[in-house]
Amino acid sequence: MSHWVPGLRQIRSYQRRWLAKDIVAGVVLTTLLVPQGMAYAELAGLPAITGLYTSILCLLGYAVFGPSRILVLGPDSSLGPMIAATILPLAAADGDPGRAVALASMLAILVAAIMIVASVAKLGFIADLISKPTMIGYLNGLALTIVVGQLPKLCGFSVDADGLVAEIGAVARGIFGGEVNGAAAAVGISGVAAILLLQRWLPKIPAVLVVVVLAIAAVPLFGLAARGVDLVGVLPRGFPPLSIPDIGLSDLAPLFAGALGIALVSLADTISTASAFAARTGQEVHGNREMAGIGVANLAAGLFQGFPVSTSGSRTAVAQHAGARTQLTGVVGAVLITIMILVAPGLFRNLPQPVLAAIVITAALSLADLRGTARLWRQRRTEFLLSAAALLGVALLGVLPGIAVAVVLSILNVFRHAWLPYQTELGKADGVPGYHDVRSYPDARRPAGLVIFRFDAPLIFANAKTFREAVRRLAARDPAPHWIVVAAEPMTDVDTTAADMLRDLDDELNARGTHLVLAELKDPVRRKIDRYELTRTLDPDHFYPTVSAAVDAFRRRTGNGWVPVSAGAAEPGSSTRS
């Protein structure tokens, strides 16, 4: 039972000395959960109160079913634009906030279903569908989208534009057209600056809480309401009832498409965050159990007027620094938020809306990884271009198409490496045992009449032609080699298309007096060769356990001596690692 309900295991192993630390950490965490929950709800196009409902239920759901001891789930800045992009086109017909909430709740339930099914099917590896460079680009694009979208709210005006480019133009026209509310802009910009400075110079101080308290105090002090600064107002009192979202069947398809993207981003974010914190505490990360925990957290939120959630690295760090030991920290946070909306729903009535925008903008800035982008530029330009393409996908096509672009680019990058793998010749270098890349050892030697060729990829349909053309170029040399020894250790597979190619290529080479020889072929691959009946064409004597064994056999047969191999001879495909 404890395997499926990790919360029971935590209760059984709970130590009394942890209680005070968990309670204190829960109180500290609550001060961050409330303003961020409201801010991220509005980022998703929803009423601020739904952010609190979501925080309560996801914390409780993950506390029971989540495997991590201290991971904190909740509304997230990276999911907000994805939620808005999914539900707002469906809710825009009548602009009814109740319909938007119902759509967001169903979206959370669909994310939960995807996560739980994927957990049962043990599909935790799907988090690897987005490579780090494309994820960096996606998050950079997301940060840009969030910042631009929040600028009008930060400055006290609104725009009506669809798409990042149009939104940038609308924001510029609003700013230069005199629509900025000076008081709102002063509050919002001051909030951004204060949060960033406190996080930079006094990281142990809860920057968001400090700014929220100061902003609430500034409202009556400077008469901000009379100056046109929008306030959060009194939140609805009470706890939402358990309910199934009331939506139409026609809404399910677009919601499911959005749920797939949200589930992928949430899972990737959770696995990376869980891995980072598990490494500090000596715990292990179980991807499939994490999916189940995230799924239940989303289900709980969706059944109580909430929206999709993910892991928060910043809130988890706050909980850890405050002394959190178990998920009781999250339970304490959920209880305190519940007490607040039942007893004191007006606690944040004087919180300026520009401060919520400031909270979102600073969170968005933390999503951007400019240092990582610069590192990609220095270290690997092709992956920098992938990152830039993912950013443009988000900026030009939108948030949901942007995640699709990121996934497709990651998969195409894997395919590119399989399609055009590194390939080279090998030779024997003085003072170094074995046979090595002649690009690294240009003075290496080989026996006259023999070429050693290495192809660093499984031999499959995508690269069969590339392999064939490379071997043909080697065979076309003058004088033509008698043997072309393929150092096949990197070949982890040979599919049927490649097998047919090898059969035809061997016939072609044999007719020209050149023989294809395979060395270091892995046993599973050799068994596939036998199953394909390739040994009817390929001479069974032309399979050797090592390159050295193949070279020794050739020299015994021919008595040929050693000749130098220049680096320029390693031209099959002239492929290099990019």
Side-chain angles (χ1 to χ4, degrees):
M1 186 68 176
S2 61
H3 175 80
W4 295 106
V5 187
L8 294 177
R9 186 168 60 248
Q10 291 195 34
I11 292 174
R12 291 170 185 166
S13 62
Y14 197 85
Q15 299 181 29
R16 184 176 297 178
R17 59 189 178 88
W18 294 344
L19 183 60
K21 292 182 178 180
D22 277 340
I23 292 175
V24 170
V27 173
V28 173
L29 183 62
T30 304
T31 64
L32 188 62
L33 289 171
V34 172
Q36 282 193 343
M38 292 191 295
Y40 297 159
E42 296 197 347
L43 176 62
L46 298 164
I49 188 64
T50 60
L52 302 185
Y53 297 158
T54 301
S55 299
I56 294 168
L57 274 304
C58 75
L59 288 171
L60 295 176
Y62 190 83
V64 178
F65 290 93
S68 171
R69 282 186 171 274
I70 64 168
L71 214 58
V72 177
L73 266 65
D76 189 67
S77 57
S78 64
L79 298 189
M82 300 181 73
I83 297 168
T86 304
I87 67 170
L88 292 187
L90 301 176
D94 52 16
D96 180 11
R99 174 164 164 75
V101 171
L103 289 167
S105 297
M106 180 55 73
L107 187 62
I109 292 172
L110 290 174
V111 171
I114 292 169
M115 287 291 194
I116 293 171
V117 169
S119 173
V120 173
K122 300 187 183 304
L123 299 179
F125 64 88
I126 62 175
D128 299 330
L129 284 177
I130 308 181
S131 67
K132 187 168 184 179
T134 49
M135 193 63 174
I136 287 175
Y138 172 75
L139 291 177
N140 285 342
L142 199 61
L144 178 62
T145 300
I146 292 172
V147 170
V148 172
Q150 291 294 307
L151 282 177
K153 184 176 175 181
L154 187 80
C155 297
F157 66 97
S158 61
V159 299
D160 183 14
D162 185 19
L164 180 63
V165 175
E167 207 164 9
I168 290 174
V171 170
R173 287 191 296 272
I175 292 174
F176 295 108
E179 296 183 32
V180 175
N181 180 302
V187 171
I189 294 171
S190 298
V192 171
I195 291 173
L196 293 178
L197 289 173
L198 287 172
Q199 289 177 341
R200 176 68 177 85
W201 298 109
L202 298 169
K204 293 186 177 181
I205 292 179
V208 171
L209 177 62
V210 170
V211 169
V212 165
V213 171
L214 291 177
I216 291 174
V219 169
L221 184 63
F222 297 103
L224 295 180
R227 295 173 181 268
V229 178
D230 291 334
L231 305 179
V232 168
V234 178
L235 298 173
R237 183 189 297 270
F239 198 79
L242 171 67
S243 58
I244 302 297
D246 182 17
I247 65 166
L249 290 177
S250 61
D251 297 324
L252 286 178
L255 286 176
F256 186 75
L260 284 174
I262 290 170
L264 182 58
V265 171
S266 178
L267 178 60
D269 190 26
T270 297
I271 295 298
S272 61
T273 303
S275 299
F277 283 94
R280 301 178 190 177
T281 58
Q283 299 179 46
E284 293 184 6
V285 175
H286 303 282
N288 295 311
R289 295 184 195 173
E290 286 293 353
M291 280 195 293
I294 300 169
V296 172
N298 276 281
L299 179 61
L303 292 175
F304 289 88
Q305 299 182 22
F307 51 86
V309 297
S310 181
T311 303
S312 169
S314 62
R315 278 166 284 185
T316 302
V318 167
Q320 185 184 52
H321 289 314
R325 291 294 182 269
T326 69
Q327 286 296 326
L328 180 60
T329 295
V331 174
V332 170
V335 170
L336 291 178
I337 297 173
T338 302
I339 292 173
M340 188 200 81
I341 61 176
L342 291 176
V343 178
L347 186 63
F348 289 89
R349 64 181 180 276
N350 282 339
L351 178 61
Q353 288 284 356
V355 170
L356 290 183
I359 293 170
V360 172
I361 287 174
T362 53
L365 294 177
S366 70
L367 292 177
D369 189 356
L370 300 182
R371 186 173 298 175
T373 304
R375 182 173 61 85
L376 291 175
W377 172 261
R378 293 193 308 269
Q379 296 178 354
R380 194 155 184 170
R381 296 292 172 84
T382 53
E383 294 199 343
F384 170 82
L385 292 175
L386 285 174
S387 181
L391 186 154
L392 291 174
V394 176
L396 300 179
L397 301 178
V399 175
L400 290 177
I403 189 64
V405 168
V407 172
V408 170
L409 287 175
S410 296
I411 294 172
L412 288 178
N413 192 36
V414 174
F415 185 78
R416 181 181 70 89
H417 286 294
W419 178 35
L420 297 173
Y422 185 80
Q423 46 189 285
T424 188
E425 279 188 60
L426 304 182
K428 190 174 183 65
D430 292 335
V432 183
Y435 293 83
H436 302 278
D437 190 337
V438 298
R439 291 189 177 94
S440 300
Y441 296 90
D443 297 327
R445 296 169 296 136
R446 60 178 173 84
L450 178 142
V451 173
I452 308 170
F453 174 54
R454 195 182 74 205
F455 191 79
D456 289 357
L459 198 53
I460 58 174
F461 71 95
N463 59 30
K465 182 178 178 181
T466 303
F467 178 90
R468 182 187 65 197
E469 296 307 313
V471 173
R472 279 178 173 173
R473 282 192 292 270
L474 292 173
R477 287 183 180 174
D478 186 19
H482 298 301
W483 276 18
I484 297 177
V485 177
V486 179
E489 193 271 339
M491 290 184 185
T492 55
D493 191 18
V494 175
D495 70 7
T496 55
T497 302
D500 291 342
M501 178 276 297
L502 286 175
R503 181 182 295 108
D504 295 340
L505 180 62
D506 191 55
D507 286 338
E508 177 186 323
L509 295 178
N510 289 339
R512 298 163 58 176
T514 298
H515 300 291
L516 197 61
V517 176
L518 298 175
E520 300 181 353
L521 203 63
K522 289 177 166 57
D523 289 343
V525 182
R526 174 57 196 270
R527 287 192 289 271
K528 289 181 181 179
I529 295 287
D530 292 337
R531 194 158 61 246
Y532 299 149
E533 298 181 342
L534 274 180
T535 47
R536 291 184 179 182
T537 304
L538 293 171
D539 189 339
D541 292 335
H542 285 171
F543 290 82
Y544 291 92
T546 64
V547 171
S548 296
V551 171
D552 291 344
F554 177 80
R555 295 194 66 208
R556 284 195 301 271
R557 293 187 185 192
T558 64
N560 289 359
W562 296 89
V563 295
V565 181
S566 66
E571 61 169 314
S574 297
S575 210
T576 58
R577 294 193 189 278
S578 56

